[in-house]
Amino acid sequence: MHREPDRRKSGPTRRAVFRTIAGVAAATAAGGYAWTRLGDEAGDQEGAGRGTSGAGSDGAATGPRTFERLSGPDRTVVRGGDGDTLATFTDGARTAVFTGPSRTFSEPRTTDATVTTDAWVRVLPHTWQRGMEKADWFSGWFGKTLGDSSPDVFAVSFQYSSAGAADKHDSHGLRYAGTAHFGPRNTDVENPLDFAFHDERSDFYDYLGADWTFPDGTRAQPEKARYGDVDCSGFQRLVWGYRMGIPLHNTNTAGAGLPRRAYAIAAHGPGRLVIPDNRRTPTDLGSLQPGDLVFFAIIKDRPDFIDHCGMYLGLDDGGRHRFYSSRSAANGPTMGDLSGHSLLDGTDFYARGFRAARRL
């Protein structure tokens, strides 16, 4: 579970207010709010989502708040009247982490581990800067988002789980969510646990089976053989770009938004690095926050080359730092342990290859 440092004593008040928020969100559609994300249709309420203002019995959602500045990285922490963390906003990033009802994510097909978290990862309408809580838009947006029960980044990500996820279609019949696979079968490789057993190079528009025009006018066309497939970076572009609205571009150089490959996202992606790539395995993971993108050098012959990326989920039930990524062995998005444990700490394959982290 994710916690910002809390310098005042907290009690059961926060748990009570978020139980209230969850109840209000489930029971109150009228008076709530809705928005349409890229790839969602206004008529698809599960995709677009509804929320409420989230008023709680002790006023934590609508009452006095304090805004505390912390460093490493520089960020603003919002606390309620009881001192508990309500949300965290990082300078230079659009990723916001709210405290909400606890959820458990699991994938029994590939691991016994579970991740239970009260972190709800949202995307800010603007890149956060110090003092932005005083902006005209912030108060209304914050009140709505604090009580929002619609799918956040984590929930959207698991709408593509290789362990099985229900198909979702927009009003035009486009399947925008449902079980994703990594890529077409590579017939030259026999071992299903080999990293090349399924071919990479499948981007978000391959999964969708739809043409895509990028802001620079570049037009991409999906390959029919890759329909329903996304490789590791394509999966992050599908979630953060297509679904959550962060801009995308189609190169591996610096540009507005998310570039194509994992190494390019690590080097040129939006947001800020919270763990820089020093070409060695980081030993201090204290700066990580749920939703951070994590990057790995996993090619034996190129130990300094970033070739895989995933999304940090937080601590699992064993107290280990677990991530979620699209991988060949699981044939799609996984938090599991096929052909390497999905862990950042320890001495396993991915932990040894872990190099950097970026907060979008």
Side-chain angles (χ1 to χ4, degrees):
M1 300 174 70
H2 175 70
R3 289 285 188 275
E4 280 289 355
D6 198 339
R7 298 178 182 176
R8 286 169 288 185
K9 182 178 180 181
S10 63
T13 310
R14 180 185 58 81
R15 293 190 295 272
V17 68
F18 280 109
R19 282 197 299 269
T20 302
I21 290 172
V24 172
T28 309
Y33 77 108
W35 70 94
T36 301
R37 298 191 188 94
L38 196 60
D40 292 334
E41 293 293 329
D44 180 0
Q45 290 303 322
E46 185 172 4
R50 278 200 176 272
T52 75
S53 61
S57 59
D58 68 350
T62 57
R65 306 184 188 114
T66 59
F67 297 86
E68 181 180 4
R69 289 291 295 176
L70 297 177
S71 59
D74 293 339
R75 61 199 188 277
T76 300
V77 178
V78 188
R79 301 195 190 278
D82 59 1
D84 279 339
T85 300
L86 299 180
T88 301
F89 307 111
T90 302
D91 293 4
R94 288 181 61 187
T95 301
V97 176
F98 284 76
T99 304
S102 181
R103 302 168 292 172
T104 295
F105 296 96
S106 64
E107 192 182 315
R109 182 176 73 93
T110 61
T111 183
D112 293 330
T114 62
V115 173
T116 298
T117 180
D118 59 5
W120 288 61
V121 182
R122 301 288 183 185
V123 175
L124 280 157
H126 309 284
T127 299
W128 186 262
Q129 300 297 336
R130 182 173 185 169
M132 194 168 273
E133 67 273 12
K134 299 175 184 177
D136 292 341
W137 62 268
F138 179 78
S139 181
W141 177 86
F142 182 82
K144 292 176 180 178
T145 308
L146 182 63
D148 184 11
S149 62
S150 70
D152 71 329
V153 173
F154 280 179
V156 167
S157 297
F158 276 82
Q159 290 178 359
Y160 301 94
S161 173
S162 61
D167 287 349
K168 298 180 183 296
H169 297 83
D170 66 18
S171 61
H172 301 290
L174 178 73
R175 185 181 74 131
Y176 67 86
T179 300
H181 300 295
F182 184 81
R185 171 79 168 82
N186 187 343
T187 56
D188 293 332
V189 178
E190 297 182 359
N191 182 359
L193 297 182
D194 191 296
F195 296 114
F197 188 73
H198 294 96
D199 189 37
E200 57 181 359
R201 297 183 292 120
S202 296
D203 204 354
F204 70 96
Y205 51 82
D206 292 305
Y207 173 87
L208 297 168
D211 292 357
W212 186 264
T213 301
F214 292 91
D216 65 356
T218 303
R219 188 170 180 82
Q221 294 182 316
E223 295 183 32
K224 291 183 179 180
R226 296 179 182 277
Y227 176 67
D229 297 343
V230 277
D231 62 19
C232 66
S233 53
F235 177 52
Q236 301 305 328
R237 283 157 63 87
L238 178 63
V239 172
W240 291 95
Y242 183 75
R243 292 296 301 277
M244 309 310 294
I246 288 180
L248 297 164
H249 64 95
N250 205 32
T251 74
N252 292 313
T253 58
L258 283 169
R260 173 61 181 101
R261 295 282 301 277
Y263 75 85
I265 298 174
H268 307 301
R272 60 179 299 168
L273 284 171
V274 291
I275 297 179
D277 181 11
N278 292 320
R279 299 188 176 184
R280 60 179 182 269
T281 302
T283 56
D284 183 3
L285 306 184
S287 61
L288 286 173
Q289 171 180 281
D292 287 349
L293 296 193
V294 288
F295 301 91
F296 305 84
I298 59 173
I299 300 177
K300 184 177 181 180
D301 298 335
R302 304 181 69 183
D304 296 328
F305 180 69
I306 299 294
D307 194 47
H308 187 69
C309 63
M311 182 188 300
Y312 179 58
L313 295 175
L315 297 179
D316 64 18
D317 57 335
R320 307 291 297 279
H321 294 272
R322 188 163 290 269
F323 68 94
Y324 187 59
S325 68
S326 185
R327 288 160 51 181
S328 176
N331 195 17
T334 181
M335 57 176 278
D337 300 323
L338 293 177
S339 195
H341 291 71
S342 295
L343 298 172
L344 302 179
D345 55 329
T347 59
D348 199 67
F349 179 80
Y350 284 98
R352 295 197 307 271
F354 179 42
R355 292 293 182 269
R358 176 175 289 278
R359 188 163 302 160
L360 297 181

